[in-house]
Amino acid sequence: SSGINAEYGGGQYCRDDVVNSITQSISESPEMYAFIVQKLFLAVKEDIGQQPLVQVATWAIGEYGDLLVAGPCDIGEPIEISETEVVDVLEHIITGSLCSSTTKYFTLNAL
C-alpha cells in the first residue's frame, strides 16, 4: 500500500497520461498481477476520493478481476475477496457523488 500512496500522494487529480503510464507499467508485470489487483482493490474499498487511484484500480479489476477472486496470491498477506464484495465496491464507485464521469467510465468497463 505504501507504493500506492506514493504514486497518488500528489492529490485528487493528475494528468491522464499518468494513469495511462501506471496501467501500462502494471500490464508489463504479469508476475505481480494478483498482488497488484488485490492491493488496489483494498485501497479503493477504503477510499474512493482519489480519482487517479480509483481509475487505475478499476482498470486493474477489469483486467485481472479473475485473479482477485481466485484466492490469496503468493505475495503478501493472504486475503479472500468474494465476487459480491467486488461488485459492491464497484457499485459504490458508480453511484457515489465523489467520482468523476471518467472514473465512472473506468468502473463500468470493469464490470
Side-chain angles (χ1 to χ4, degrees):
S1 153
S2 61
I4 293 170
N5 291 336
E7 288 293 331
Y8 297 101
Q12 167 81 358
Y13 299 98
C14 65
R15 295 186 332 247
D16 289 342
D17 63 322
V18 173
V19 171
N20 292 335
S21 294
I22 293 169
T23 58
Q24 179 65 35
S25 294
I26 292 169
S27 69
E28 294 171 355
S29 305
E31 69 283 355
M32 298 293 293
Y33 290 166
F35 177 75
I36 291 169
V37 74
Q38 284 183 3
K39 290 299 181 182
L40 288 168
F41 175 79
L42 293 174
V44 297
K45 183 179 174 186
E46 294 298 316
D47 178 16
I48 63 168
Q50 296 183 48
Q51 298 303 285
L53 173 62
V54 177
Q55 291 169 10
V56 172
T58 54
W59 171 84
I61 292 166
E63 293 293 316
Y64 313 116
D66 57 325
L67 300 173
L68 181 60
V69 298
C73 65
D74 296 334
I75 305 169
E77 185 177 320
I79 58 170
E80 295 287 333
I81 299 169
S82 71
E83 290 179 15
T84 302
E85 190 176 3
V86 174
V87 171
D88 288 348
V89 169
L90 295 176
E91 182 179 299
H92 178 64
I93 293 167
I94 291 171
T95 60
S97 61
L98 292 176
C99 294
S100 69
S101 58
T102 301
T103 301
K104 290 179 183 189
Y105 172 77
F106 274 84
T107 307
L108 286 171
N109 280 328
L111 292 169

